[in-house]
Amino acid sequence: KKKGLPARLPHQSLYEYAAVISSRVPRAGKPVEQLTRAASSAAYDPGPFPTETIGAAREWLRQLRRGLG
């Protein structure tokens, strides 16, 4: 919201909301896509969450912050 982006609506899936963000801030598209995939996996994959994804997610967040300027 601080960057002028809309809040996720209750009916929006992670992927639908990611598409909204990516369309409004194209330079943030790749990290948004990667973070969305990781969040979906964490929420819905019954297997253990890969520890390497945690480190990668930190980098994706840094990229997203830079993309949102």
Side-chain angles (χ1 to χ4, degrees):
K1 284 183 153 182
K2 290 179 184 179
K3 300 295 182 182
L5 298 168
R8 182 173 161 218
L9 300 174
H11 67 274
Q12 284 179 311
S13 72
L14 293 175
Y15 289 98
E16 289 170 331
Y17 186 61
V20 169
I21 301 303
S22 294
S23 71
R24 292 183 182 215
V25 187
R27 65 184 175 274
K30 188 67 173 173
V32 166
E33 176 186 321
Q34 292 166 317
L35 287 164
T36 301
R37 209 174 317 121
S40 181
S41 175
Y44 301 110
D45 187 344
F49 194 72
T51 55
E52 63 272 8
T53 302
I54 296 168
R58 288 186 180 109
E59 176 56 31
W60 300 331
L61 281 170
R62 278 192 284 279
Q63 292 174 16
L64 179 57
R65 286 185 189 109
R66 282 193 301 263
L68 293 175

